[in-house]
Amino acid sequence: MKRDELNDLAAFATVAEEGNFTRAAAKLGMSQSALSHAIKALEQRIGLPLLTRTTRSVSTTEAGERLLQTLRPALDSIATELANISDLGDTPSGTVRITADQVAARWLIQPMLARFMAMYPNITVEINTDDGLTDIVADRFDAGVRLGELIAQDMISVRIGPDVRTAIVATPEYLAKNPAPIVTPQDLKSHRCMNYRLQTAGGMYAWEFSRGGRMIEVRVDGPLIINNWALALASVLDGAGIGYCFEHEVAQHIADGRLVRLLEDWSPTFHGYHLYFPDRRRTPALSAFIDAIRWKGNGNGVHS
């Protein structure tokens, strides 16, 4: 294959993934006219249109999508090997793209970033916070961070935190104004609760409870619907209603008396957070990030 042909294939993959010639040209460091010329030359060689262009977006044709499915793993493999080669005689370098939910980003990633960046000045870390079930392969992330229960079996995962337990909380002021008893999870239906909208499915999160080995879900109601756990906790602290949180996020507020814990004997424990990735994405830069964030407590290690 000629060098120009390989360059054109890489340019096509970038346009297809960005869905926009302007963004793709900026990412590739070339002019839009040169990029358009490269795509036209590739289409002429293949004899089929690969992209459908409108005034607002660019999408792949059937032929373009088939070509893209072939190119993605090949280009990823080349990029990974180039990173491996570049690191043979030097410290790890390059970019590590991580997707994590909001809680993990605040609790586990942010505290280690300054130390990591000081240790590896040639590595750029990109953090994308997203509570949805992101496809890290399709969206070209090097790794994702989610609770252990949510990770697909074909991924390699590294434990980066302890098990997490939930906590149902409200302010003393809210409970004084809303004295309806809360003895079982079903009693929450008589109270104002913070509803959380799932980013992937679009529906409301059903609060999960467990006791005696039995797991139940309760659909709560209330005047506030959010998709940000930090905003939900802030609203609970303001006395707006009852919240469903992780224990570590509210422990100090409970100790200080700002929040009262409810239904503690119904609070389930979930497997801790893991960083996960497909095997072919483990570059030296990602390996350095894994070593820095790996949980040092009991039960740490790599799980396939």
Side-chain angles (χ1 to χ4, degrees), residues 31 109 157:
S31 67
I109 298 178
S157 69

Side-chain angles (χ1 to χ4, degrees), residues 156-172:
I156 294 176
S157 69
V158 178
R159 190 180 178 100
I160 64 172
D163 287 348
V164 292
R165 193 179 183 211
T166 63
I168 309 301
V169 291
T171 62

